[in-house]
Amino acid sequence: MNPDLPLDQAYGSSDGADASIIDFDGADLDDIDQARADEYALFALLLLKPPDSGFLTRLARLQDSSDTPLGRAHAALGRAAACTCADDINREYFELFIGVGRGELLPYASYYLTGFLNERPLARLRQDMMRLGIERAAGHCDPEDHLGTLCEIMSGFASIHFEVAAGEEQAFFERHLAPWAGRFFGDLESAKTAKFYRSVGVAGRTFIDIETEAFAMETRRSA
């Protein structure tokens, strides 16, 4: 992200496509938090399960007229969705994240930060979730430090679905996503079995860079 680029330009405009893709109602949010909530929700959906044919059709309409890194990543994601089918993505998702024994990538904070699953990063996350009054959604069987779940939580913060004290959203991002989410998306971008999900990796890495810089700017303003 260009640190001199205003935040509304950094996030870009997708001509309303994002909101239609995820059916997110953020009428009471400003444009930046609306865009952030949509973006996090999009990554949560793509990481927690493979998109079905209906979602792929909506993704294929994703266009972004803004000449920004994130805008170009959105357009590439839309093109990738238009060039594949749900069956192919199901197989790709399985090879990437599940596999026979294990997938090529493990999208968990504990693994990325310690090399093992269910370690201290997960315990710290659960403590913070309990303190903030956030519970794991029904039907989720993965540990809570799955990046898709973390993106769901960040979407909840941005959309004010989770009401927390000032500074808690930034603290959560810096503790639970910033140390590893960008690295994971970079690994996804270059994964051997990634085709459609390569474009997800590019968009995710770009977005995490923007969020990291935005929170750093907020810290500098508050200093």
Side-chain angles (χ1 to χ4, degrees), residues 160-191:
I160 323 177
H161 180 72
F162 301 137
E163 295 187 15
V164 295
E168 289 285 8
E169 179 183 6
Q170 179 173 348
F172 188 94
F173 176 86
E174 292 176 347
R175 178 178 295 189
H176 300 296
L177 284 89
W180 72 283
R183 182 154 52 100
F184 167 81
F185 280 123
D187 290 344
L188 182 57
E189 182 181 353
S190 60

PDB file of all heavy atoms in Angstrom, residues 160-191:
ATOM      1  N   ILE A 160     -19.716  -3.321  13.210  1.00  0.00           N
ATOM      2  CA  ILE A 160     -20.267  -3.009  14.532  1.00  0.00           C
ATOM      3  C   ILE A 160     -21.271  -4.078  14.975  1.00  0.00           C
ATOM      4  O   ILE A 160     -22.142  -3.823  15.803  1.00  0.00           O
ATOM      5  CB  ILE A 160     -20.906  -1.596  14.584  1.00  0.00           C
ATOM      6  CG1 ILE A 160     -20.104  -0.596  13.756  1.00  0.00           C
ATOM      7  CG2 ILE A 160     -20.935  -1.070  16.023  1.00  0.00           C
ATOM      8  CD1 ILE A 160     -20.722   0.795  13.721  1.00  0.00           C
ATOM      9  N   HIS A 161     -21.167  -5.263  14.406  1.00  0.00           N
ATOM     10  CA  HIS A 161     -21.953  -6.395  14.919  1.00  0.00           C
ATOM     11  C   HIS A 161     -21.444  -6.779  16.302  1.00  0.00           C
ATOM     12  O   HIS A 161     -22.219  -7.171  17.174  1.00  0.00           O
ATOM     13  CB  HIS A 161     -21.856  -7.571  13.956  1.00  0.00           C
ATOM     14  CG  HIS A 161     -22.615  -8.777  14.390  1.00  0.00           C
ATOM     15  ND1 HIS A 161     -23.996  -8.829  14.369  1.00  0.00           N
ATOM     16  CD2 HIS A 161     -22.204  -9.972  14.891  1.00  0.00           C
ATOM     17  CE1 HIS A 161     -24.400 -10.007  14.818  1.00  0.00           C
ATOM     18  NE2 HIS A 161     -23.330 -10.713  15.146  1.00  0.00           N
ATOM     19  N   PHE A 162     -20.113  -6.693  16.475  1.00  0.00           N
ATOM     20  CA  PHE A 162     -19.504  -6.853  17.792  1.00  0.00           C
ATOM     21  C   PHE A 162     -19.136  -5.458  18.288  1.00  0.00           C
ATOM     22  O   PHE A 162     -18.290  -4.796  17.694  1.00  0.00           O
ATOM     23  CB  PHE A 162     -18.239  -7.713  17.718  1.00  0.00           C
ATOM     24  CG  PHE A 162     -18.465  -9.090  17.163  1.00  0.00           C
ATOM     25  CD1 PHE A 162     -17.572  -9.628  16.256  1.00  0.00           C
ATOM     26  CD2 PHE A 162     -19.563  -9.841  17.537  1.00  0.00           C
ATOM     27  CE1 PHE A 162     -17.770 -10.903  15.743  1.00  0.00           C
ATOM     28  CE2 PHE A 162     -19.766 -11.108  17.026  1.00  0.00           C
ATOM     29  CZ  PHE A 162     -18.868 -11.650  16.120  1.00  0.00           C
ATOM     30  N   GLU A 163     -19.768  -5.013  19.338  1.00  0.00           N
ATOM     31  CA  GLU A 163     -19.472  -3.698  19.886  1.00  0.00           C
ATOM     32  C   GLU A 163     -18.395  -3.839  20.958  1.00  0.00           C
ATOM     33  O   GLU A 163     -18.612  -4.487  21.977  1.00  0.00           O
ATOM     34  CB  GLU A 163     -20.739  -3.066  20.459  1.00  0.00           C
ATOM     35  CG  GLU A 163     -21.799  -2.774  19.400  1.00  0.00           C
ATOM     36  CD  GLU A 163     -22.971  -1.995  19.950  1.00  0.00           C
ATOM     37  OE1 GLU A 163     -22.831  -1.440  21.060  1.00  0.00           O
ATOM     38  OE2 GLU A 163     -24.012  -1.948  19.279  1.00  0.00           O
ATOM     39  N   VAL A 164     -17.240  -3.237  20.682  1.00  0.00           N
ATOM     40  CA  VAL A 164     -16.120  -3.333  21.618  1.00  0.00           C
ATOM     41  C   VAL A 164     -15.582  -1.934  21.889  1.00  0.00           C
ATOM     42  O   VAL A 164     -15.870  -0.984  21.162  1.00  0.00           O
ATOM     43  CB  VAL A 164     -15.003  -4.232  21.043  1.00  0.00           C
ATOM     44  CG1 VAL A 164     -15.485  -5.667  20.895  1.00  0.00           C
ATOM     45  CG2 VAL A 164     -14.500  -3.695  19.699  1.00  0.00           C
ATOM     46  N   ALA A 165     -14.785  -1.822  22.936  1.00  0.00           N
ATOM     47  CA  ALA A 165     -14.199  -0.535  23.311  1.00  0.00           C
ATOM     48  C   ALA A 165     -13.224  -0.064  22.243  1.00  0.00           C
ATOM     49  O   ALA A 165     -12.679  -0.865  21.467  1.00  0.00           O
ATOM     50  CB  ALA A 165     -13.492  -0.659  24.660  1.00  0.00           C
ATOM     51  N   ALA A 166     -13.019   1.238  22.210  1.00  0.00           N
ATOM     52  CA  ALA A 166     -12.083   1.820  21.254  1.00  0.00           C
ATOM     53  C   ALA A 166     -10.715   1.170  21.414  1.00  0.00           C
ATOM     54  O   ALA A 166     -10.225   0.971  22.527  1.00  0.00           O
ATOM     55  CB  ALA A 166     -11.989   3.323  21.476  1.00  0.00           C
ATOM     56  N   GLY A 167     -10.108   0.821  20.304  1.00  0.00           N
ATOM     57  CA  GLY A 167      -8.787   0.213  20.325  1.00  0.00           C
ATOM     58  C   GLY A 167      -8.795  -1.294  20.341  1.00  0.00           C
ATOM     59  O   GLY A 167      -7.775  -1.924  20.022  1.00  0.00           O
ATOM     60  N   GLU A 168      -9.922  -1.923  20.683  1.00  0.00           N
ATOM     61  CA  GLU A 168      -9.963  -3.376  20.761  1.00  0.00           C
ATOM     62  C   GLU A 168      -9.836  -4.026  19.377  1.00  0.00           C
ATOM     63  O   GLU A 168      -9.199  -5.064  19.226  1.00  0.00           O
ATOM     64  CB  GLU A 168     -11.252  -3.853  21.424  1.00  0.00           C
ATOM     65  CG  GLU A 168     -11.335  -3.582  22.912  1.00  0.00           C
ATOM     66  CD  GLU A 168     -10.473  -4.531  23.733  1.00  0.00           C
ATOM     67  OE1 GLU A 168      -9.692  -5.296  23.152  1.00  0.00           O
ATOM     68  OE2 GLU A 168     -10.608  -4.484  24.976  1.00  0.00           O
ATOM     69  N   GLU A 169     -10.447  -3.407  18.366  1.00  0.00           N
ATOM     70  CA  GLU A 169     -10.362  -3.973  17.015  1.00  0.00           C
ATOM     71  C   GLU A 169      -8.916  -3.992  16.537  1.00  0.00           C
ATOM     72  O   GLU A 169      -8.430  -5.006  16.028  1.00  0.00           O
ATOM     73  CB  GLU A 169     -11.228  -3.171  16.046  1.00  0.00           C
ATOM     74  CG  GLU A 169     -11.168  -3.673  14.616  1.00  0.00           C
ATOM     75  CD  GLU A 169     -11.991  -2.814  13.667  1.00  0.00           C
ATOM     76  OE1 GLU A 169     -12.513  -1.768  14.101  1.00  0.00           O
ATOM     77  OE2 GLU A 169     -12.078  -3.190  12.490  1.00  0.00           O
ATOM     78  N   GLN A 170      -8.226  -2.877  16.713  1.00  0.00           N
ATOM     79  CA  GLN A 170      -6.827  -2.818  16.297  1.00  0.00           C
ATOM     80  C   GLN A 170      -5.984  -3.798  17.096  1.00  0.00           C
ATOM     81  O   GLN A 170      -5.115  -4.496  16.534  1.00  0.00           O
ATOM     82  CB  GLN A 170      -6.281  -1.401  16.464  1.00  0.00           C
ATOM     83  CG  GLN A 170      -4.813  -1.279  16.057  1.00  0.00           C
ATOM     84  CD  GLN A 170      -4.324   0.148  16.057  1.00  0.00           C
ATOM     85  OE1 GLN A 170      -5.114   1.085  16.138  1.00  0.00           O
ATOM     86  NE2 GLN A 170      -3.014   0.342  15.945  1.00  0.00           N
ATOM     87  N   ALA A 171      -6.207  -3.885  18.386  1.00  0.00           N
ATOM     88  CA  ALA A 171      -5.439  -4.808  19.227  1.00  0.00           C
ATOM     89  C   ALA A 171      -5.668  -6.250  18.783  1.00  0.00           C
ATOM     90  O   ALA A 171      -4.724  -7.051  18.743  1.00  0.00           O
ATOM     91  CB  ALA A 171      -5.830  -4.630  20.699  1.00  0.00           C
ATOM     92  N   PHE A 172      -6.919  -6.583  18.446  1.00  0.00           N
ATOM     93  CA  PHE A 172      -7.222  -7.943  17.992  1.00  0.00           C
ATOM     94  C   PHE A 172      -6.486  -8.230  16.695  1.00  0.00           C
ATOM     95  O   PHE A 172      -5.878  -9.302  16.536  1.00  0.00           O
ATOM     96  CB  PHE A 172      -8.734  -8.088  17.800  1.00  0.00           C
ATOM     97  CG  PHE A 172      -9.173  -9.494  17.520  1.00  0.00           C
ATOM     98  CD1 PHE A 172      -9.592 -10.324  18.558  1.00  0.00           C
ATOM     99  CD2 PHE A 172      -9.184 -10.002  16.226  1.00  0.00           C
ATOM    100  CE1 PHE A 172      -9.998 -11.629  18.307  1.00  0.00           C
ATOM    101  CE2 PHE A 172      -9.588 -11.293  15.971  1.00  0.00           C
ATOM    102  CZ  PHE A 172      -9.992 -12.115  17.016  1.00  0.00           C
ATOM    103  N   PHE A 173      -6.537  -7.299  15.740  1.00  0.00           N
ATOM    104  CA  PHE A 173      -5.848  -7.493  14.465  1.00  0.00           C
ATOM    105  C   PHE A 173      -4.355  -7.676  14.686  1.00  0.00           C
ATOM    106  O   PHE A 173      -3.730  -8.597  14.126  1.00  0.00           O
ATOM    107  CB  PHE A 173      -6.103  -6.297  13.550  1.00  0.00           C
ATOM    108  CG  PHE A 173      -5.356  -6.364  12.248  1.00  0.00           C
ATOM    109  CD1 PHE A 173      -5.888  -7.050  11.159  1.00  0.00           C
ATOM    110  CD2 PHE A 173      -4.125  -5.733  12.106  1.00  0.00           C
ATOM    111  CE1 PHE A 173      -5.187  -7.120   9.961  1.00  0.00           C
ATOM    112  CE2 PHE A 173      -3.425  -5.795  10.910  1.00  0.00           C
ATOM    113  CZ  PHE A 173      -3.959  -6.492   9.839  1.00  0.00           C
ATOM    114  N   GLU A 174      -3.759  -6.810  15.488  1.00  0.00           N
ATOM    115  CA  GLU A 174      -2.315  -6.855  15.672  1.00  0.00           C
ATOM    116  C   GLU A 174      -1.869  -8.099  16.426  1.00  0.00           C
ATOM    117  O   GLU A 174      -0.763  -8.598  16.198  1.00  0.00           O
ATOM    118  CB  GLU A 174      -1.852  -5.586  16.386  1.00  0.00           C
ATOM    119  CG  GLU A 174      -2.004  -4.342  15.507  1.00  0.00           C
ATOM    120  CD  GLU A 174      -1.645  -3.055  16.213  1.00  0.00           C
ATOM    121  OE1 GLU A 174      -1.513  -3.080  17.468  1.00  0.00           O
ATOM    122  OE2 GLU A 174      -1.505  -2.029  15.521  1.00  0.00           O
ATOM    123  N   ARG A 175      -2.722  -8.615  17.287  1.00  0.00           N
ATOM    124  CA  ARG A 175      -2.344  -9.801  18.047  1.00  0.00           C
ATOM    125  C   ARG A 175      -2.602 -11.085  17.266  1.00  0.00           C
ATOM    126  O   ARG A 175      -1.759 -12.000  17.296  1.00  0.00           O
ATOM    127  CB  ARG A 175      -3.115  -9.837  19.374  1.00  0.00           C
ATOM    128  CG  ARG A 175      -2.813 -11.086  20.203  1.00  0.00           C
ATOM    129  CD  ARG A 175      -3.531 -11.091  21.529  1.00  0.00           C
ATOM    130  NE  ARG A 175      -3.061 -10.005  22.399  1.00  0.00           N
ATOM    131  CZ  ARG A 175      -3.403  -9.878  23.670  1.00  0.00           C
ATOM    132  NH1 ARG A 175      -4.219 -10.750  24.228  1.00  0.00           N
ATOM    133  NH2 ARG A 175      -2.941  -8.882  24.395  1.00  0.00           N
ATOM    134  N   HIS A 176      -3.730 -11.159  16.564  1.00  0.00           N
ATOM    135  CA  HIS A 176      -4.161 -12.444  16.033  1.00  0.00           C
ATOM    136  C   HIS A 176      -4.073 -12.594  14.509  1.00  0.00           C
ATOM    137  O   HIS A 176      -4.117 -13.719  14.008  1.00  0.00           O
ATOM    138  CB  HIS A 176      -5.597 -12.723  16.480  1.00  0.00           C
ATOM    139  CG  HIS A 176      -5.749 -12.769  17.970  1.00  0.00           C
ATOM    140  ND1 HIS A 176      -5.133 -13.716  18.754  1.00  0.00           N
ATOM    141  CD2 HIS A 176      -6.444 -11.972  18.820  1.00  0.00           C
ATOM    142  CE1 HIS A 176      -5.441 -13.509  20.019  1.00  0.00           C
ATOM    143  NE2 HIS A 176      -6.228 -12.450  20.085  1.00  0.00           N
ATOM    144  N   LEU A 177      -3.935 -11.493  13.766  1.00  0.00           N
ATOM    145  CA  LEU A 177      -3.838 -11.599  12.307  1.00  0.00           C
ATOM    146  C   LEU A 177      -2.519 -11.064  11.760  1.00  0.00           C
ATOM    147  O   LEU A 177      -1.895 -11.717  10.916  1.00  0.00           O
ATOM    148  CB  LEU A 177      -5.001 -10.865  11.623  1.00  0.00           C
ATOM    149  CG  LEU A 177      -6.350 -11.560  11.639  1.00  0.00           C
ATOM    150  CD1 LEU A 177      -7.142 -11.169  12.886  1.00  0.00           C
ATOM    151  CD2 LEU A 177      -7.165 -11.224  10.396  1.00  0.00           C
ATOM    152  N   ALA A 178      -2.104  -9.895  12.217  1.00  0.00           N
ATOM    153  CA  ALA A 178      -0.926  -9.252  11.631  1.00  0.00           C
ATOM    154  C   ALA A 178       0.327 -10.129  11.637  1.00  0.00           C
ATOM    155  O   ALA A 178       1.087 -10.100  10.661  1.00  0.00           O
ATOM    156  CB  ALA A 178      -0.645  -7.926  12.347  1.00  0.00           C
ATOM    157  N   PRO A 179       0.578 -10.942  12.673  1.00  0.00           N
ATOM    158  CA  PRO A 179       1.828 -11.704  12.683  1.00  0.00           C
ATOM    159  C   PRO A 179       1.915 -12.801  11.619  1.00  0.00           C
ATOM    160  O   PRO A 179       3.017 -13.303  11.371  1.00  0.00           O
ATOM    161  CB  PRO A 179       1.849 -12.322  14.092  1.00  0.00           C
ATOM    162  CG  PRO A 179       0.951 -11.458  14.912  1.00  0.00           C
ATOM    163  CD  PRO A 179      -0.136 -11.037  13.967  1.00  0.00           C
ATOM    164  N   TRP A 180       0.780 -13.175  10.991  1.00  0.00           N
ATOM    165  CA  TRP A 180       0.867 -14.323  10.097  1.00  0.00           C
ATOM    166  C   TRP A 180      -0.089 -14.315   8.913  1.00  0.00           C
ATOM    167  O   TRP A 180       0.154 -15.019   7.911  1.00  0.00           O
ATOM    168  CB  TRP A 180       0.615 -15.607  10.891  1.00  0.00           C
ATOM    169  CG  TRP A 180      -0.820 -15.785  11.309  1.00  0.00           C
ATOM    170  CD1 TRP A 180      -1.466 -15.164  12.324  1.00  0.00           C
ATOM    171  CD2 TRP A 180      -1.787 -16.639  10.694  1.00  0.00           C
ATOM    172  NE1 TRP A 180      -2.771 -15.568  12.397  1.00  0.00           N
ATOM    173  CE2 TRP A 180      -3.003 -16.483  11.409  1.00  0.00           C
ATOM    174  CE3 TRP A 180      -1.751 -17.538   9.625  1.00  0.00           C
ATOM    175  CZ2 TRP A 180      -4.168 -17.167  11.082  1.00  0.00           C
ATOM    176  CZ3 TRP A 180      -2.915 -18.234   9.294  1.00  0.00           C
ATOM    177  CH2 TRP A 180      -4.105 -18.055  10.017  1.00  0.00           C
ATOM    178  N   ALA A 181      -1.165 -13.533   8.935  1.00  0.00           N
ATOM    179  CA  ALA A 181      -2.180 -13.624   7.876  1.00  0.00           C
ATOM    180  C   ALA A 181      -1.604 -13.260   6.508  1.00  0.00           C
ATOM    181  O   ALA A 181      -1.889 -13.922   5.502  1.00  0.00           O
ATOM    182  CB  ALA A 181      -3.383 -12.736   8.211  1.00  0.00           C
ATOM    183  N   GLY A 182      -0.785 -12.205   6.452  1.00  0.00           N
ATOM    184  CA  GLY A 182      -0.190 -11.842   5.181  1.00  0.00           C
ATOM    185  C   GLY A 182       0.715 -12.937   4.646  1.00  0.00           C
ATOM    186  O   GLY A 182       0.738 -13.201   3.430  1.00  0.00           O
ATOM    187  N   ARG A 183       1.451 -13.580   5.531  1.00  0.00           N
ATOM    188  CA  ARG A 183       2.328 -14.682   5.113  1.00  0.00           C
ATOM    189  C   ARG A 183       1.511 -15.854   4.589  1.00  0.00           C
ATOM    190  O   ARG A 183       1.873 -16.471   3.580  1.00  0.00           O
ATOM    191  CB  ARG A 183       3.194 -15.110   6.307  1.00  0.00           C
ATOM    192  CG  ARG A 183       4.189 -16.214   5.989  1.00  0.00           C
ATOM    193  CD  ARG A 183       5.390 -16.141   6.929  1.00  0.00           C
ATOM    194  NE  ARG A 183       4.999 -16.103   8.324  1.00  0.00           N
ATOM    195  CZ  ARG A 183       5.021 -17.180   9.124  1.00  0.00           C
ATOM    196  NH1 ARG A 183       5.378 -18.370   8.649  1.00  0.00           N
ATOM    197  NH2 ARG A 183       4.677 -17.071  10.397  1.00  0.00           N
ATOM    198  N   PHE A 184       0.396 -16.156   5.258  1.00  0.00           N
ATOM    199  CA  PHE A 184      -0.456 -17.231   4.766  1.00  0.00           C
ATOM    200  C   PHE A 184      -0.978 -16.916   3.366  1.00  0.00           C
ATOM    201  O   PHE A 184      -0.932 -17.761   2.466  1.00  0.00           O
ATOM    202  CB  PHE A 184      -1.639 -17.470   5.708  1.00  0.00           C
ATOM    203  CG  PHE A 184      -2.696 -18.347   5.083  1.00  0.00           C
ATOM    204  CD1 PHE A 184      -2.555 -19.719   5.070  1.00  0.00           C
ATOM    205  CD2 PHE A 184      -3.811 -17.790   4.468  1.00  0.00           C
ATOM    206  CE1 PHE A 184      -3.510 -20.533   4.468  1.00  0.00           C
ATOM    207  CE2 PHE A 184      -4.766 -18.591   3.868  1.00  0.00           C
ATOM    208  CZ  PHE A 184      -4.605 -19.969   3.864  1.00  0.00           C
ATOM    209  N   PHE A 185      -1.504 -15.705   3.164  1.00  0.00           N
ATOM    210  CA  PHE A 185      -2.026 -15.366   1.847  1.00  0.00           C
ATOM    211  C   PHE A 185      -0.924 -15.396   0.795  1.00  0.00           C
ATOM    212  O   PHE A 185      -1.167 -15.780  -0.354  1.00  0.00           O
ATOM    213  CB  PHE A 185      -2.701 -13.993   1.884  1.00  0.00           C
ATOM    214  CG  PHE A 185      -4.094 -14.008   2.440  1.00  0.00           C
ATOM    215  CD1 PHE A 185      -4.425 -13.220   3.541  1.00  0.00           C
ATOM    216  CD2 PHE A 185      -5.085 -14.787   1.864  1.00  0.00           C
ATOM    217  CE1 PHE A 185      -5.717 -13.229   4.046  1.00  0.00           C
ATOM    218  CE2 PHE A 185      -6.385 -14.804   2.363  1.00  0.00           C
ATOM    219  CZ  PHE A 185      -6.698 -14.021   3.457  1.00  0.00           C
ATOM    220  N   GLY A 186       0.300 -15.003   1.159  1.00  0.00           N
ATOM    221  CA  GLY A 186       1.416 -15.116   0.233  1.00  0.00           C
ATOM    222  C   GLY A 186       1.708 -16.561  -0.121  1.00  0.00           C
ATOM    223  O   GLY A 186       1.983 -16.890  -1.287  1.00  0.00           O
ATOM    224  N   ASP A 187       1.642 -17.451   0.873  1.00  0.00           N
ATOM    225  CA  ASP A 187       1.827 -18.877   0.607  1.00  0.00           C
ATOM    226  C   ASP A 187       0.714 -19.419  -0.277  1.00  0.00           C
ATOM    227  O   ASP A 187       0.952 -20.265  -1.149  1.00  0.00           O
ATOM    228  CB  ASP A 187       1.874 -19.662   1.916  1.00  0.00           C
ATOM    229  CG  ASP A 187       3.138 -19.400   2.724  1.00  0.00           C
ATOM    230  OD1 ASP A 187       4.106 -18.854   2.154  1.00  0.00           O
ATOM    231  OD2 ASP A 187       3.141 -19.728   3.925  1.00  0.00           O
ATOM    232  N   LEU A 188      -0.497 -18.944  -0.059  1.00  0.00           N
ATOM    233  CA  LEU A 188      -1.624 -19.375  -0.886  1.00  0.00           C
ATOM    234  C   LEU A 188      -1.428 -18.914  -2.323  1.00  0.00           C
ATOM    235  O   LEU A 188      -1.726 -19.655  -3.274  1.00  0.00           O
ATOM    236  CB  LEU A 188      -2.927 -18.803  -0.316  1.00  0.00           C
ATOM    237  CG  LEU A 188      -4.226 -19.174  -1.014  1.00  0.00           C
ATOM    238  CD1 LEU A 188      -4.417 -20.689  -1.071  1.00  0.00           C
ATOM    239  CD2 LEU A 188      -5.410 -18.519  -0.311  1.00  0.00           C
ATOM    240  N   GLU A 189      -0.911 -17.723  -2.493  1.00  0.00           N
ATOM    241  CA  GLU A 189      -0.661 -17.168  -3.822  1.00  0.00           C
ATOM    242  C   GLU A 189       0.314 -18.043  -4.608  1.00  0.00           C
ATOM    243  O   GLU A 189       0.193 -18.166  -5.840  1.00  0.00           O
ATOM    244  CB  GLU A 189      -0.106 -15.754  -3.660  1.00  0.00           C
ATOM    245  CG  GLU A 189       0.165 -15.016  -4.934  1.00  0.00           C
ATOM    246  CD  GLU A 189       0.726 -13.635  -4.665  1.00  0.00           C
ATOM    247  OE1 GLU A 189       0.778 -13.207  -3.485  1.00  0.00           O
ATOM    248  OE2 GLU A 189       1.109 -12.976  -5.650  1.00  0.00           O
ATOM    249  N   SER A 190       1.271 -18.661  -3.927  1.00  0.00           N
ATOM    250  CA  SER A 190       2.295 -19.450  -4.608  1.00  0.00           C
ATOM    251  C   SER A 190       2.144 -20.952  -4.413  1.00  0.00           C
ATOM    252  O   SER A 190       3.026 -21.722  -4.812  1.00  0.00           O
ATOM    253  CB  SER A 190       3.681 -19.020  -4.124  1.00  0.00           C
ATOM    254  OG  SER A 190       3.824 -19.218  -2.724  1.00  0.00           O
ATOM    255  N   ALA A 191       1.041 -21.405  -3.809  1.00  0.00           N
ATOM    256  CA  ALA A 191       0.841 -22.834  -3.554  1.00  0.00           C
ATOM    257  C   ALA A 191       0.793 -23.630  -4.863  1.00  0.00           C
ATOM    258  O   ALA A 191       0.221 -23.175  -5.851  1.00  0.00           O
ATOM    259  CB  ALA A 191      -0.442 -23.044  -2.758  1.00  0.00           C
TER     260      ALA A 191
END
